[in-house]
């Protein structure tokens, strides 16, 4: 992926647990999203918050802080996982859907924490039962960026095993 011309025919790009793109590629991504391309980012072990914030910060719905193994907060020693709360059916990605979307049994072991910032107008489509965002998005000029705060594979969550995962992915895309 080098230069904007390689992205000219791309409607939606998915960055799934990849290192932050090089500065020139990040600039091309910002330009294409501004023109109307969609971008879906899913985190994981390869995602470094500082690099993503430096290179893609203007695009991100909220800046990344750090990954957290669920249940490792002070005073918590039990092994646990985070569940998905009922979806926000007024969110643009989920508009027109009903019910829990086949996602409520989801168990997540790791999540990325985010920096709160009301000025970014991030919209939460899915949250965790703790209140932390799971899937958030925001418009960026003519495009839209979605951020999944856990991995899209089975490394951090069983989300891809849920019956609602494929329909959710289709709606995000």
């Amino acid at each position: 992926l080098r230069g904007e011309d390689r992205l000219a025919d791309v409607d939606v790009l998915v960055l799934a647990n990849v290192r932050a793109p090089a500065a020139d590629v990040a600039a091309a991504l910002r330009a294409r999203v501004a023109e109307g391309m969609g971008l879906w980012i899913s985190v994981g072990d390869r995602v470094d918050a500082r690099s993503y914030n430096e290179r893609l910060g203007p695009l991100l719905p909220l800046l990344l802080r750090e990954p957290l193994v669920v249940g490792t907060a002070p005073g918590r020693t039990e092994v646990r996982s985070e569940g998905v709360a009922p979806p926000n059916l007024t969110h643009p990605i989920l508009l027109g859907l009903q019910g829990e979307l086949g996602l409520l049994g989801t168990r997540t072991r790791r999540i990325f924490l985010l920096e709160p910032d009301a000025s970014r107008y991030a919209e939460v489509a899915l949250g965790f039962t703790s209140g932390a965002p799971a899937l958030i998005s925001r418009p960026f000029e003519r495009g839209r960026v979605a951020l999944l705060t856990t991995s899209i594979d089975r490394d951090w969550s069983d989300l891809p095993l849920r019956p609602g995962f494929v329909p959710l992915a289709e709606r995000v895309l």
Side-chain angles (χ1 to χ4, degrees):
L1 218 144
R2 291 283 177 227
E4 287 181 57
D5 55 318
R6 304 286 306 271
L7 296 172
D9 295 326
V10 175
D11 293 325
V12 179
L13 183 69
V14 178
L15 300 179
N17 190 18
V18 296
R19 287 178 171 67
D24 62 326
V25 175
L29 286 173
R30 286 191 303 271
R32 281 293 293 128
V33 173
E35 293 170 359
M37 184 180 84
L39 177 63
W40 185 11
I41 300 169
S42 172
V43 299
D45 292 329
R46 293 182 190 99
V47 172
D48 174 68
R50 192 181 99 257
S51 298
Y52 262 77
N53 292 342
E54 286 174 2
R55 296 183 192 153
L56 295 176
L59 290 175
L60 297 174
L62 292 173
L63 295 179
L64 299 170
R65 282 180 46 197
E66 71 271 347
L68 171 74
V69 175
V70 178
T72 59
R76 301 212 74 167
T77 58
E78 75 277 9
V79 175
R80 62 180 228 118
S81 59
E82 189 73 60
V84 172
N88 173 7
L89 298 175
T90 64
H91 187 280
I93 291 173
L94 305 177
L95 201 57
L97 298 178
Q98 296 179 359
E100 54 86 20
L101 309 182
L103 301 172
L104 286 188
T106 302
R107 305 311 305 165
T108 299
R109 295 167 302 285
R110 291 188 73 176
I111 64 173
F112 243 94
L113 298 178
L114 305 171
E115 291 291 341
D117 184 348
S119 70
R120 287 184 173 257
Y121 303 104
E123 302 168 278
V124 178
L126 286 174
F128 293 108
T129 51
S130 66
L135 177 64
I136 61 173
S137 72
R138 78 182 267 237
F140 182 82
E141 297 188 29
R142 293 180 39 213
R144 189 164 197 86
V145 179
L147 173 64
L148 182 65
T149 63
T150 191
S151 66
I152 202 168
D153 58 22
R154 292 177 41 199
D155 288 349
W156 289 12
S157 176
D158 68 0
L159 177 64
L161 301 176
R162 297 293 162 186
F165 175 72
V166 171
L168 175 68
E170 181 179 52
R171 293 299 291 251
V172 172
L173 297 172

